[in-house]
Amino acid sequence: MVGSHIWVKGIVQGVGFRPFVYTLAIQHQLTGWVRNTSRGVEIEINGSDEAVKGFIEQLRTQAPPLARLDSVEVEAVIPNGYTTFEILESAPLPGEFIPISPDVAICADCQRELFDPQNRRFRHPFINCTNCGPRFTIITDIPYDRPKTSMAGFPMCPQCEAEYHNPLDRRFHAQPVACPNCGPSVWFENGGAVVANGETAIQLTRQYLREGKIVAIKGLGGFHLACDAFNTTAVAELRRRKRRSLKPFALMAFDLQTVQRHCLVNQAEQELLTSRQKPVVLLPPRPESLVSPEVAPAQTRQGVMLAYTPLHLLLLEPAPNFPELLVMTSANLSEEPIAYQDDEARQRLFGLADGFLMHNRPIHTRVDDSVQRVVNNQPYFLRRARGYAPDAIKLPFNMPPILATGAELKNTFCLTRQQYAFISHHIGDLENFETLRSFEEGIRHYERLFYIKPEMLVADLHPDYLSTRYAQQRASEQSLPLLQVQHHHAHLAACLADNQWNSKDPVIGLIFDGTGYGIDGVTWGGEVLLGGYAAAFERTHHLDYVPLPGGDTAVRNPGRIALAYLKHAGLEWGADLPPVTGYSSTELSLIQRQIDKHINSPLTSSMGRLFDAVSALLGICQHISYEGQAAIELEALADFNEESSYPIELQSEIINVRPLWECLVRDYRKGISTPLLAARFHNSIARLGLQMCENLRSQTGINHVALSGGVWQNIFLLRRTLSLLHAHNFIPLIHQQVPTNDGGIALGQAVIASFYP
Ligand code: ZN
Ligand code: ZN
Ligand code: FE
């Protein structure tokens, strides 16, 4: 007889871990106990030497699907003479934290039960178990127990309670467990009145959708607006009601086979689509697919996700004459955050939806759908939210408690402790009040959930970002040190941390971005940096400054940026060029004046703006209705088979694109096709990246190159650059766990702050 005391750390709570331990102990005829603590799961076992070894081996290798074991510490102890194996009450230890599981898409077992007429949860829209269901979105406080979730108002019926307490049941200690007798319910509202309940409400929703109407659907982390994806009138109407933005809508399908009928899906994309996170994955549509072109205008990829809750499965259940793909877009006006509370949704979505499918399980935290692409068989985040947050990124070093407040657009914040960086879910654009409130509430919530009391704050260098203001105010109120980090340096550090970089050595950073406040007060964005986690970095090269005539007006109207670039390159505003034809002669002379007299024409070295300008020059996009549109449409047209490029000039640290513009204008006038010109432009930027790296390597011997900033969402550019860098024996680092856009900024800020002396 021997004894063992075991600590298991990682994601081991709310994931069926204790029933797994219990079953395993019984199988091996062990006695002892298991309990949850705030430090992880604690186990003590007595039994034969062989049985104890077998138990520990299987504990490590056969943990339930949702568990993530960070460590298993085993210590030999004197056997205590237990006679049974028991699950003990939870024992929280002061000051410790327990990782909290993200929301998990419905599992195969629950899906089977959902459609099994013999099952007592047949067609129950809230079926879940320890392997699946809502988690983060319903947690109001810790420890993670039903009274501290938004399921608190649903006392379990005796049958659910029995399952909840049975260690051998799949629903043992599944906090959101529910059934038709005791769980939440759905209803359909129209004009403020409830017109249907339960199954009838679901069928009425389907009828609305079949008839081409738009329905607001309360889901897991917020409301979606849904309509028939094949009905162009419906999709165009949705677009009109959402204020005409051309931003692509995501689609939802019942199963993988449906997605495969409409999109090309490779192995890695298939795995991502069917993963327990079930993110939106950007896929190339099949040419024969009849999805309305209004869903994703001027895009080469279509965002698709699988139904991830039982409610979504019921809504999308295949039937004749029912659309097999639904548009499922965040329920908001163009720039607002997704609606998530009932009354708020009724108000804000009034006039957007023809009806509302509601339910009475409150959403505590607003969480959007995650969006990813697959690049070189690896997932690449565009937005990290549902299914991933609040999982921490594990770093190869320890961090003091820091709060990093991130950037302004696509904001996320980051809190750190020990080796963990808790990057928040996508919060959104902080420029409006609703999002700012989510940001502040989110920070409070994470600090509570993970017992983090920041000892240092870090923000962007931009004085007017609301995230900067928040940090400044809090630093002064709580007398905490505040560090402000340059935006592109934060991008660089984020990319390093994302790649588990564990060194103080600097790397080459190709930071190609839209907008970031520079240390000279100018808006940067086409930056070559030499730096790492240390606060000091070197800006070795940057795109030459060009004026943005009209400031924000120019950002919304890339034609203006193209005019500025033409002038910058010493080229005439010829009447044959699309950005010139887009303006009247009065407007042109006004823009001319703005540039010449420096009236409201802030300078920028932004790479994003260069892409916008080229898009306008080639006649692709003169005005944008969502961020990044001009560059996205330029990329969509570029011919990947074209290899040639145009020259770019280097004048010490200044990158001058004048020769590139001369060639583009010349070849445009020769009538060379847009796909070729777009490709040559992309190739030129990729070659520029390589040239910068070669230059810096010859001076410093550095081989590692970090690619970060919003421009690297451009997969044409990314793939070209990666292959050039690989071919020249560089070691490129690209983002893996956080987005390359400003959603990654907070991580970089936090890591730089932790290395601050
Ligand atoms: Zn399940
Ligand atoms: Zn029940
Ligand atoms: Fe940025």
Side-chain angles (χ1 to χ4, degrees), residues 107 110 128-129 131-132 170:
C107 74
C110 286
N128 68 85
C129 72
N131 298 323
C132 75
R170 204 173 89 243

Side-chain angles (χ1 to χ4, degrees), residues 120 157 160 178-179 181-182:
R120 72 186 192 90
C157 70
C160 284
C179 76
N181 298 324
C182 64

